[in-house]
Each structure stands twice: as C-alpha cells, then as structure tokens.
Amino acid sequence: MLPDALREWAEAPRVGALNDRLPVGDGARYVLCWLQQALRAVDNPVIDAALRLGNALGLPVLVYHGIREDYPYASDRLHHFLLGAARDLAAGCAARGIACVSHVDREGRREKGLVYRLGAEAGAIVVEDQPVFVARWQAARVAARATVPVYAVNAACLVPPAVLGSDIRGRSGFLRRHEPARETWARGTAEVPVVPPYTGPLPFAPDDLATHDPDALIADLAIDHSLPPSTQFPAGRAAAEARLRRLVDTVLPGYAATRNDATRDSGASGLSPYLHFGILGPREVMAAVDGATAGKTHKTKFADELLGWREWFHWQARMLRGAQRYDRVADWAVATLAAHADDPRPEGETLDAMLHGETRDALWNACQKQFVIDGWMHNNLRMYWAKRIIAMTPSPEVAWATACYLNDRLSLDGRDPSTYGNIAAMFGGSPADAERPVYGRVATRGDGSIRHRDGGAAWIAAAAARPVPRLSVPDALPIAWYRAGG
Ligand code: FAD
C-alpha cells in the first residue's frame, strides 16, 4: 500500500512497496534515498519519489550511494566508472539542494550494515526497482529487515513496466502495449525539495569523491586490478552528455543505415554503459532524439532499439526467476543443444585464450578485444561472438556461463537485463532448417557481415591484433550462478 504522497503522483506506477510498514514523520531525520544504479541527479524518479515523501512528511532527503569491494566482478574498470558517476551524482544533488553522501568501502574504512544504520534514522527508505544483479537482491534484503517502509522505484525504463501488465506473450504483444504508452511517459515530473538539505548527524564519515583521486582510492582495494578502466568510455556525467550530443549531431542522421556496420566508429551511439549505470535515463535520451533534426527513419530505428528492445528485456527480466539462468533459453533450443552436447568440439578453446581474445578465430578475437580493451562491444559483433562460444566450450551450459561471465565481467553495460536477454536470443531465436553438429537446430552465424564489407578483412586483422592487458583467469566459472541463481 502506497502513502498518498506516492499514490497520487503522476509517476505512481513506477513505485512498489517492498514491505508493509508505515512512514514515520516524528523523530525521523530524513527520507533515505539509496541509489545503486540510477546514478543521476536529474530526471531520476527514485530521487523524485523520495522528495515527494520527504515533502509530505516535512523531512529532507538524504541520497546515499556506497561502493563495496565484494560485489561480483568488482574491478578497476567498474569501480572507476562508478566513482565518476557517484562524484557527479553528489554534485548534481548539491545543485538541486539535496544532500548526497558516498561511501567507498575499504580496509580501515569498513562500515558494516551502513544502509541499515542509515535506515534506522529514516522515516522511509526509497530504493531502485532493478530486475537483475546486486540491486535486486539487496533491495529485498533491506526491505525484510527495515523497521520503516521501503519503496522501490523504476528509473531504468521510459514506460514503467507495471503499466504493461504481466500477461504479455512475445515481443510483438509487448510492443502493442508499449508503443501507445510512450508519449505519456515521455513527460517528466521533476519534484522540488521544499525543506533545506539535510545537514544533521550521520553514522559514518562520508567520502568526498570530488577531492579523492579515483586511481589512488582504487589502488588499495581488494578488487580485480587486472582489468583497467576504459579510455573509450570515460566515467561521469560530462562524458555521457558528450555521447548524447554525438548521437544527435553525428550518429543519428545516418543511424538506420550505419548501425550494423561495426567497422565504422560513429555508426552507433555507445550510450549503453551510461544507460546501464543510469547516468543518463531513457527519457532524457528520447527527448534529445525527438528534438534532433535527423530523419524519421533514423529516429524510429533508434527508438526501436532503446525502447522496443531494451525495455522488452527489462520487462522479461521481471517475469523470470533469475534472468541470468540458463533455463530461460527457449525449451526447443535447450533440447536441441542437449541432444548435441556430446558431439566432438574441434573448435574448443581454453578460458585463458577466450578471455584474452587469442583463439584460432580472428573475428572472434576482434570482438573479444573490444570487451577487454574498450569495455563495450558493437551489437553486430556481439551476435557473432555469442554464437561462436557455443562451439568453443565443452557443453551448452558452459557456453551460456562463459558468454554471461565474459559479458558481465568485462563490459561496462553487462550485468543488465539486455545482457541475458540478448544472449538467450543468440542461444535460441528462430530455429534453423538444417541440423548441425554441436548447434543442432540453433542457427549459426558466419563472419560475412564484417568480412565482406569494403576493408572488412583488414579491419578484422587490425582489430584482432590489438594488444590486451593480461587478465586474471579464474580457476572456475560461476556456473552455479548462471544455472540456478535467484
Ligand atoms: P545503439 O545502437 O546506439 O542503441 C542505443 C541503445 O539502445 C543502446 O545503448 C541500448 O541501450 C539499446 N539497445 C540497442 N540494441 C539493443 C539490443 N539488442 N537489446 C537491448 N537494448 C539495445 N546491451 C546492453 O546494454 N548490455 C549488455 O550486456 C548487452 N549484451 C549483449 C549481448 C549480446 C550477445 C547481444 C547480441 C547484444 C547485447 N546487448 C547488450 C545489446 C546491444 O548490443 C547493446 O545495447 C549495444 O550494442 C550498445 O551499443 P550502443 O549504445 O552503441 O547501441
């Protein structure tokens, strides 16, 4: 049950109550807004929901963002990106008159149970509604233990998934409901704080990320130091805004024609890392696209990717027990792959060779090196890359875990509903007419879409030859997580 302040809000369908407690006004210091992935200060429905509650209770809002060392795949790459986002989140909140504090967990600065301790002083807690990875299970855990209400707010999608219902069969059914709803949700409702920012006591000493050198901070952490930050995708809001301007000025005018050409630098937007971490929201991106001078075909194609595909995978992920589990792959595909599980695999590769993009397949290496070096891969390459993993690994389930593992560990946009939804589409999709060794009826993909382009062979050779950092190689893949994690 939502309180009036949220129930009567235009964005109410974004909000769900995670427990049945009631907000507390008297004696509480603030409304706690715990951000994990929606790391933007503007057009952020999580912050706006907290402000609405705060304004109704007469409490200021305290935005909190913490970074632990022990989340899966913690590395210099992900920490660097997160720290830049958190730094700009704090500055953006300050500009709006909202208090925002950060904590980087590390030796000598451990803060056990900090969210619970912050929550103990709150009249209500507002968190993100994310369907996968850490944010999903941590929100549920906090809601079970908190003595105040915990509300989860969807900030990742333009159209709140809740308004679409839960009885959609396929993507065309999804689009029939999603497309007519877009216009309504394209309008934002920014909330204004009516009380001064919170300046009261805190149960910890926050980190001022504007004054910390991120590299120095990261150097001493117990995380994966073998994976460096991406120079292609700098951290922070300014880099995200520059990507958005590049989309409008350079990419969008030819998008429908250039999007599939991985050999071009400006065929696609490169926005996915910034969208994954919520540094940009889909509403802001679509407003820029709608206002651009590019032709309708290009705008429609872009909307189909950003809204028609991305939000479809978000919706799907909410309906699944674990979006990252192998059992989400279409039944027919699981069956045909299982029927060929014992086929000889002459194209098998070691995890070491795969991680470093040093297999016998030059195009696959070119793809993988984008993940290792850039922390991102072009969509067209991702399709070839995922399909080929089926032949390179000892069994279909190991193939699934390997694809998810490489995507999640290396790509800035990994650990996302789009990660698992797209890999599932590559392992399933439409069945092929012919039955092949290893793949059964799962369609394979050749290298023609790159090799047969003008200069394609030279592009592959150069991309496959890029030097990569030596990455730590795990003894085993987290197969259980990709089989049965919840
Ligand atoms: P653009 O072409 O500029 O598209 C704009 C935005 O639309 C993207 O930023 C993205 O948010 C969305 N989008 C585009 N294509 C897709 C798609 N196929 N599915 C869902 N959303 C899409 N996307 C991720 O965000 N994270 C992943 O981990 C991820 N893993 C993938 C794995 C495989 C095997 C495949 C085939 C695709 C994967 N994608 C993933 C989808 C897509 O490849 C990327 O979103 C896209 O390449 C990002 O580049 P861009 O921002 O330049 O895309």
Side-chain angles (χ1 to χ4, degrees), residues 35-58:
L35 295 182
Q36 299 191 73
Q37 218 176 301
L39 303 181
R40 61 182 182 277
V42 290
D43 192 20
N44 187 335
V46 192
I47 296 179
D48 285 335
L51 288 173
R52 267 191 85 84
L53 267 177
N55 290 344
L57 295 169

Side-chain angles (χ1 to χ4, degrees), residues 445-470:
R445 197 176 165 88
D447 61 4
S449 72
I450 301 293
R451 195 171 288 284
H452 298 150
R453 286 187 186 276
D454 263 1
W459 183 88
I460 294 173
R466 295 170 78 195
V468 286
R470 300 320 294 176

Side-chain angles (χ1 to χ4, degrees), residues 255 259 268-272 310 376 379 382 407 413 419 422:
Y255 184 76
R259 187 210 177 223
S269 70
L271 283 176
S272 56
R310 181 174 176 274
W376 175 90
N379 178 68
R382 293 190 202 222
N407 200 143
D413 64 18
T419 313
N422 276 289

Side-chain angles (χ1 to χ4, degrees), residues 243 247 251 255 259 267-273 275-276 302 304-307 309-311 313 371 376-387 407-408 411-420 422-424 426:
R243 279 264 165 200
L247 167 68
V251 177
Y255 184 76
R259 187 210 177 223
S269 70
L271 283 176
S272 56
L275 284 160
H276 170 76
F302 188 86
D304 190 44
E305 303 301 343
L306 180 70
L307 305 178
W309 282 107
R310 181 174 176 274
E311 299 203 0
F313 290 130
F371 263 175
W376 175 90
M377 194 193 298
H378 190 280
N379 178 68
N380 199 265
L381 301 181
R382 293 190 202 222
M383 294 193 262
Y384 178 81
W385 172 89
K387 292 268 187 200
N407 200 143
D408 282 350
S411 190
L412 286 166
D413 64 18
R415 310 154 307 283
D416 191 274
S418 295
T419 313
Y420 315 117
N422 276 289
I423 296 175
M426 294 302 107

